C-alpha cells in the first residue's frame, strides 16, 4: 500500500481542486440520477434494493445502485441491463452510523426477521473494531487490502455472480486518531431532545434514556454545558443551556422527573431543540443536538426533509450537528437515519444498559470533538486489472464523482478514534497483475475548513490470498458482517456461505479474537437461521 498526503488552502485550494478533479459521467460508480450539489446529499428516503453488478461494458465500471428500478427489483434482473457503465470511480460520503445493525440484533432477539429496507450493510460492517493503523495527526490513515472469495474450499458463489471465479473482497479502511485525554477536547454544549411520548413508556425506552443521561451528567466535565428539551404532542424546554459546574443536582432532578405522556411530534422536538442549541451555543465549543427517541412520529411533520428544512439555516450557519440515539423494540429507523444525515451527524441504537453505558459514558464524552467535516471517499479502480466491482452498501451516501472535491457538497462528520470501512466485491480480469485501486479520502479541518486528502492503493498480489483462514481476522469479521447483512436484505455477494456456515465462522472468529461483539454477531446469525428454517 502506498500513501500520500495533500493539503490545499485558500485560493490555491480552489485552483488545485479544479485542476485535479476526477471527472466522470455519474456518481458512486455510475448513477447519474444520484448527483447533487450544494448542501444536499443524495438521499431520497427510499430504501434501495441491493446494488447490482453491471455487465462488463468494454472497460466500464458497474453501477452501485438500482438505476430507475423499484425497491423490490431483483439483482438478476438488473444484471441484464445492457447499458454500458460510465467510469471506474466510486464516490460516497463517510458514514459511522451503526443503528441498522443494533436494531437488527434487537429484532432478531425478539424472534422476528428485520425488514429488508432497514438493513444497511455499511452499518453492520462499521459496528466492529478494526485493525487499521492510527494516524499521528488529526487526519485519516488509509488502509486497502483484501482476499479472494473462492479458494481450495470452493464456496458456492452467490446468485447472479457468474461462476464466482476471479472475485475478491477489497476492504478500504479509514481511521482517525483517538483522543489522548478527555481534558484535551474543547468544551461541549449538548442539547438533549428527549421523546416522552406514550410509546416511550415501554421498558427499555425512557427509563434507559434517564439512566444513561444520569450517568453522563456525572461523567461530563465542569466546563461542559447541557440543555434539556422534551417532546410529546408539543415540545418544552426543561433546562436551558447550563454549565455542569455547580448544577449537577439540578440536572439530575430534571432528568429524574421525566414521564411519558402523549403522541410523538418529532418535528416540534427537533425544532425547539435546535432553537435552544442556537440560543445557548458557545464559541469554541462543540455544539451538538442529541435526539433520543423511538422515532415513531405520528403528530406534526413526520417527513425528515420537512423537519430539517425548518432548522437548516441555523444548522449551516452555526455548525450544530445531530446525534441520533434510537431506542425501543419498534423503532423508526428510516426517519432517524435521514434526520442524522440531514443534520450532519450519525445514529446509533441502544437496547440495554450495557449498550447505553458504552455510548454515553465510554464514547460521547470523548467523541464530542470532530476530527473531520464533510469527509468523502473516492476509490478509482484500474480498468487494466479490474473487470467489475460493486460497493457493498452506502446507497444512501452516494456522491457524484465530479463532486468529490466540491466542498459545498455535504459529506460525513467523523470524530476521534473512529474507523470507517467500505467493502467492495471486485472481479479481476484474467491473468491480471499490478495496480488494482487507489482510495482517496478528502475532508475539511473542523476549525479552519481547510481541505486535506490522504490516499492508499492496493496491488493484485495483496488481494490474492484466501479469505477464510489466511486473511486478517478483522477482514474476515468484516466479510461475515457484510454477508450477513446482504442475506437479511435478500441480496447476494460472491462466495457467500449459508447462514449455518456463516455462524460457525463467526463463532470461530469470536474465540480466536476474544471479541464479545463478534460473539453477539454469531448469535444473531444463529437466530436468523432459526427464523428462516
Amino acid at each position: 500500500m502506498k500513501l500520500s498526503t495533500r493539503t490545499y488552502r485558500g485560493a490555491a485550494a480552489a485552483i488545485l481542486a479544479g485542476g485535479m478533479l476526477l471527472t466522470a459521467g455519474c456518481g458512486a460508480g455510475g448513477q447519474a440520477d444520484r448527483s447533487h450539489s450544494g448542501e444536499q446529499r443524495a438521499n431520497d428516503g427510499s430504501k434501495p434494493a441491493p446494488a447490482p453488478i453491471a455487465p462488463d461494458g468494454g472497460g466500464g465500471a458497474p453501477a452501485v445502485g438500482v438505476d430507475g428500478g423499484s425497491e423490490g427489483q431483483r439483482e438478476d434482473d438488473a444484471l441484464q441491463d445492457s447499458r454500458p457503465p460510465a467510469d471506474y470511480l466510486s464516490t460516497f460520503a463517510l458514514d459511522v452510523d451503526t443503528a441498522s445493525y443494533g436494531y437488527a440484533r434487537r429484532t432478531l432477539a425478539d424472534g422476528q426477521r428485520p425488514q429488508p429496507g432497514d438493513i444497511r450493510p455499511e452499518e453492520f460492517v462499521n459496528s466492529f473494531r478494526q485493525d487499521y493503523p492510527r494516524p499521528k495527526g488529526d487526519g485519516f490513515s488509509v488502509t486497502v487490502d483484501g482476499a479472494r472469495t473462492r479458494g481450495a474450499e470452493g464456496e458456492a458463489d452467490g446468485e447472479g455472480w457468474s461462476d464466482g471465479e476471479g472475485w475478491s473482497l477489497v476492504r478500504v479502511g479509514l481511521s482517525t486518531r483517538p483522543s489522548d485525554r478527555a481534558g484535551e477536547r474543547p468544551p461541549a454544549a449538548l442539547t438533549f431532545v428527549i421523546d416522552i411520548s406514550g410509546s416511550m413508556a415501554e421498558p427499555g425506552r425512557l427509563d434507559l434514556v434517564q439512566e444513561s443521561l444520569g450517568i453522563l451528567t456525572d461523567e461530563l466535565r465542569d466546563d461542559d454545558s447541557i440543555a434539556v428539551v422534551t417532546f410529546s404532542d408539543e415540545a418544552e424546554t426543561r433546562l436551558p443551556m447550563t454549565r455542569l459546574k455547580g448544577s449537577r443536582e439540578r440536572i439530575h432532578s430534571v432528568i429524574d422527573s421525566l414521564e411519558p405522556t402523549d403522541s410523538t411530534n418529532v418535528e416540534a422536538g427537533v425544532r425547539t431543540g435546535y432553537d435552544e442549541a442556537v440560543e445557548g451555543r458557545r464559541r469554541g465549543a462543540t455544539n451538538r443536538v442529541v435526539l433520543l427517541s423511538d422515532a415513531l412520529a405520528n403528530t406534526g411533520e413526520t417527513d425528515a426533509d420537512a423537519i430539517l428544512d425548518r432548522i437548516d439555516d441555523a444548522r449551516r450557519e452555526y455548525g450544530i450537528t445531530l446525534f441520533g440515539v434510537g431506542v425501543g423494540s419498534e423503532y423508526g429507523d428510516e426517519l432517524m437515519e435521514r434526520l442524522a444525515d440531514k443534520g450532519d451527524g450519525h445514529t446509533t441504537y441502544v437496547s440495554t444498559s450495557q449498550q447505553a453505558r458504552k455510548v454515553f459514558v465510554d464514547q460521547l464524552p470523548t467523541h464530542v470533538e470532530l476530527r473531520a467535516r464533510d469527509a468523502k471517499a473516492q476509490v478509482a479502480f484500474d480498468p487494466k486489472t479490474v473487470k467489475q466491482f460493486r460497493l457493498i452498501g452506502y446507497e444512501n451516501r452516494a456522491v457524484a464523482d465530479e463532486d468529490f472535491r466540491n466542498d459545498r457538497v455535504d459529506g460525513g462528520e467523523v470524530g476521534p478514534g473512529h474507523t470507517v470501512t467500505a467493502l467492495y466485491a471486485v472481479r479481476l480480469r484474467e491473468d491480471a497483475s499490478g495496480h488494482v485501486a487507489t482510495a482517496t479520502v478528502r475532508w475539511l479541518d473542523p476549525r479552519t475548513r481547510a481541505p486535506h486528502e490522504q490516499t492508499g492503493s492496493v496491488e493484485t498480489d495483496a488481494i490474492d490470498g484466501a479469505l477464510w483462514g489466511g486473511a486478517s481476522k478483522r477482514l474476515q469479521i468484516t466479510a461475515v458482517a457484510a454477508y450477513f447483512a446482504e442475506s437479511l436484505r435478500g441480496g447476494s455477494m460472491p462466495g457467500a456461505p449459508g447462514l449455518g456456515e456463516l455462524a460457525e465462522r463467526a463463532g470461530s472468529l469470536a474465540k480466536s479474537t476474544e471479541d464479545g461483539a463478534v460473539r453477539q454477531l454469531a448469535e444473531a446469525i444463529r437466530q436468523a437461521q432459526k427464523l428462516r428454517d
Side-chain angles (χ1 to χ4, degrees):
M1 182 182 66
K2 302 175 182 177
L3 293 177
S4 64
T5 304
R6 292 188 287 267
T7 302
Y8 310 104
R9 302 185 187 278
I15 296 172
L16 289 174
M20 299 181 68
L21 183 67
L22 299 178
T23 57
C26 51
Q31 293 182 102
D33 61 325
R34 288 185 182 268
S35 63
H36 59 290
S37 61
E39 283 274 332
Q40 183 177 0
R41 176 182 296 132
N43 182 350
D44 60 3
S46 62
K47 292 292 180 179
I53 286 289
D56 181 31
V64 178
V66 176
D67 188 2
S70 65
E71 179 176 331
Q73 183 175 1
R74 289 184 57 83
E75 205 166 15
D76 51 356
D77 293 333
L79 285 165
Q80 299 173 13
D81 188 347
S82 61
R83 290 172 293 178
D87 57 54
Y88 267 76
L89 296 175
S90 171
T91 310
F92 57 95
L94 301 196
D95 187 6
V96 295
D97 293 354
T98 59
S100 177
Y101 173 66
Y103 185 47
R105 279 186 53 218
R106 167 68 182 264
T107 303
L108 288 165
D110 288 344
Q112 302 178 50
R113 282 185 65 89
Q115 293 297 315
D118 289 338
I119 303 300
R120 294 183 291 278
E122 68 274 17
E123 298 186 22
F124 279 55
V125 166
N126 283 322
S127 294
F128 297 92
R129 181 165 55 87
Q130 295 288 358
D131 52 3
Y132 311 139
R134 301 289 187 177
K136 294 181 180 179
D138 286 343
F140 290 87
S141 68
V142 182
T143 303
V144 190
D145 60 4
R148 288 250 181 194
T149 60
R150 287 177 65 97
E153 292 173 309
E155 297 94 336
D157 53 282
E159 179 182 340
W161 294 91
S162 185
D163 58 0
E165 295 295 336
W167 287 100
S168 298
L169 295 182
V170 173
R171 179 178 62 160
V172 176
L174 311 173
S175 177
T176 60
R177 178 177 61 87
S179 291
D180 296 326
R181 294 188 303 271
E184 290 188 351
R185 66 167 173 83
L190 306 176
T191 301
F192 290 96
V193 180
I194 304 171
D195 185 348
I196 58 168
S197 62
S199 60
M200 292 291 287
E202 175 190 301
R205 297 194 185 192
L206 184 57
D207 57 341
L208 187 59
V209 168
Q210 289 173 298
E211 177 186 346
S212 304
L213 293 186
I215 296 172
L216 180 64
T217 298
D218 294 329
E219 292 288 330
L220 289 173
R221 299 187 327 216
D222 284 350
D223 62 342
D224 293 329
S225 302
I226 284 181
V228 177
V229 172
T230 60
F231 68 93
S232 53
D233 54 342
E234 295 180 348
E236 178 184 357
T237 299
R238 298 292 189 97
L239 181 74
M241 194 64 72
T242 303
R243 294 284 179 104
L244 269 292
K245 185 176 182 179
S247 302
R248 283 184 168 82
E249 186 174 343
R250 178 186 176 194
I251 295 170
H252 278 296
S253 178
V254 170
I255 294 170
D256 293 343
S257 68
L258 302 181
E259 294 182 353
T261 55
D262 300 314
S263 53
T264 309
N265 189 340
V266 176
E267 181 268 335
V270 172
R271 174 168 44 80
T272 304
Y274 267 84
D275 288 345
E276 190 62 44
V278 169
E279 183 176 343
R281 72 188 184 281
R282 295 172 55 188
R283 293 187 181 276
T286 300
N287 295 275
R288 180 167 297 179
V289 172
V290 182
L291 175 62
L292 303 106
S293 174
D294 57 18
L296 300 175
N298 54 26
T299 300
E301 292 283 4
T302 61
D303 176 74
D305 287 332
I307 294 172
L308 267 297
D309 281 347
R310 293 176 179 250
I311 48 82
D312 190 52
D313 290 341
R315 175 182 64 86
R316 286 190 286 178
E317 181 176 355
Y318 302 112
I320 299 170
T321 58
L322 178 66
F323 177 37
V325 181
V327 296
S329 57
E330 293 184 20
Y331 166 55
D333 173 72
E334 179 180 343
L335 176 60
M336 184 70 88
E337 190 232 357
R338 296 201 64 211
L339 286 170
D341 280 355
K342 287 287 185 178
D344 278 352
H346 61 282
T347 64
T348 191
Y349 176 86
V350 298
S351 61
T352 66
S353 296
Q354 181 181 7
Q355 292 170 356
R357 176 176 286 274
K358 180 180 178 181
V359 170
F360 288 100
V361 177
D362 299 338
Q363 297 177 351
L364 187 57
T366 56
H367 290 181
V368 292
E369 183 183 4
L370 288 179
R371 287 279 186 256
R373 282 192 182 275
D374 289 327
K376 311 183 194 83
Q378 185 169 83
V379 182
F381 289 92
D382 192 329
K384 295 179 182 179
T385 56
V386 175
K387 186 175 183 179
Q388 294 171 273
F389 70 90
R390 190 191 105 193
L391 174 60
I392 308 301
Y394 286 94
E395 290 91 353
N396 288 350
R397 310 290 286 186
V399 172
D401 294 334
E402 60 268 27
D403 284 334
F404 177 59
R405 291 188 173 91
N406 181 352
D407 295 329
R408 296 176 302 165
V409 173
D410 193 20
E413 275 53 51
V414 183
H418 277 138
T419 61
V420 180
T421 300
L423 193 67
Y424 286 87
V426 177
R427 190 180 193 188
L428 298 179
R429 297 188 182 278
E430 188 174 356
D431 299 324
S433 178
H435 177 253
V436 174
T438 296
T440 303
V441 58
R442 181 181 176 88
W443 73 96
L444 302 183
D445 184 279
R447 293 173 294 277
T448 67
R449 298 282 178 162
H452 302 262
E453 291 187 8
Q454 181 85 2
T455 66
S457 61
V458 69
E459 307 285 314
T460 51
D461 58 357
I463 64 172
D464 195 45
L467 173 61
W468 306 118
S472 155
K473 286 184 170 57
R474 291 292 159 185
L475 173 58
Q476 294 179 59
I477 293 168
T478 299
V480 169
Y483 280 133
F484 183 38
E486 285 291 356
S487 174
L488 289 177
R489 71 174 185 170
S492 63
M493 287 171 56
L499 287 177
E501 180 184 345
L502 203 60
E504 290 179 6
R505 293 198 181 279
S508 176
L509 288 165
K511 291 180 181 178
S512 62
T513 61
E514 298 183 348
D515 189 333
V518 183
R519 284 196 295 273
Q520 292 172 344
L521 172 63
E523 180 58 30
I525 297 171
R526 294 187 191 100
Q527 290 166 337
Q529 182 186 17
K530 290 178 182 178
L531 290 170
R532 185 200 62 186
D533 294 342

